Amino acid sequence: MNALELEGWHDFAVAAAGAAAALAGLIMVAISVNIKEIITLPGLPARAGATIAAVVVIVVAALVILIPGQSALALGLQLIAFAVAGTCFQIPAVRALFRAQQGAPLPAKLLNAVLLLTQLVWIAVGGVIVALGSTDGLAYVAAGFVVIVITSMLNAWVLMVEILR
């Protein structure tokens, strides 16, 4: 993969990094404003951490896509590493979600668990495809970014509004 093949992804990576950084800021404000409530409710501290971690994966993944001249293998391995690191925050959040006796009903918990655990899989799969030399993997990374944004916006709503009900 050479720089010309990545050229079409430049604007997407710039937009993704900027949007994710803004979303991370929103989530950090939501956490800081409601920190007392978040800490007292089982599962929410882990969910807040998982949400921030996932959004940070977008920021760093988008930034490494913008690094000029790196090999497909290097980019792919970085994407895989970020997805794995972000997943390390998702697993405790899912465990805490199901340990909590209060909160959402079981179907909502199951949906949330699926979103939390699969959002980063897209980036890892894309990283593998990129590492093998195909820019087609970036479409999977983009899908992961979209799922992360959706999941993070839902979590931001919980951290800002639902916990005050």
Side-chain angles (χ1 to χ4, degrees), residues 38-131:
I38 291 170
I39 289 174
T40 62
L41 293 171
L44 278 187
R47 188 171 180 175
T51 302
I52 288 294
V55 174
V56 168
V57 168
I58 295 177
V59 174
V60 296
L63 292 175
V64 299
I65 290 169
L66 294 170
I67 297 172
Q70 68 178 326
S71 70
L73 179 60
L75 176 57
L77 291 176
Q78 290 169 69
L79 293 170
I80 294 165
F82 299 147
V84 169
T87 301
C88 291
F89 288 85
Q90 308 309 309
I91 294 169
V94 169
R95 285 186 185 143
L97 177 70
F98 286 107
R99 275 194 223 125
Q101 298 300 316
Q102 58 192 28
L106 183 59
K109 287 182 178 183
L110 289 171
L111 176 61
N112 197 347
V114 168
L115 287 172
L116 286 170
L117 293 174
T118 61
Q119 62 186 342
L120 294 163
V121 170
W122 292 96
I123 295 171
V125 169
V128 169
I129 295 169
V130 169

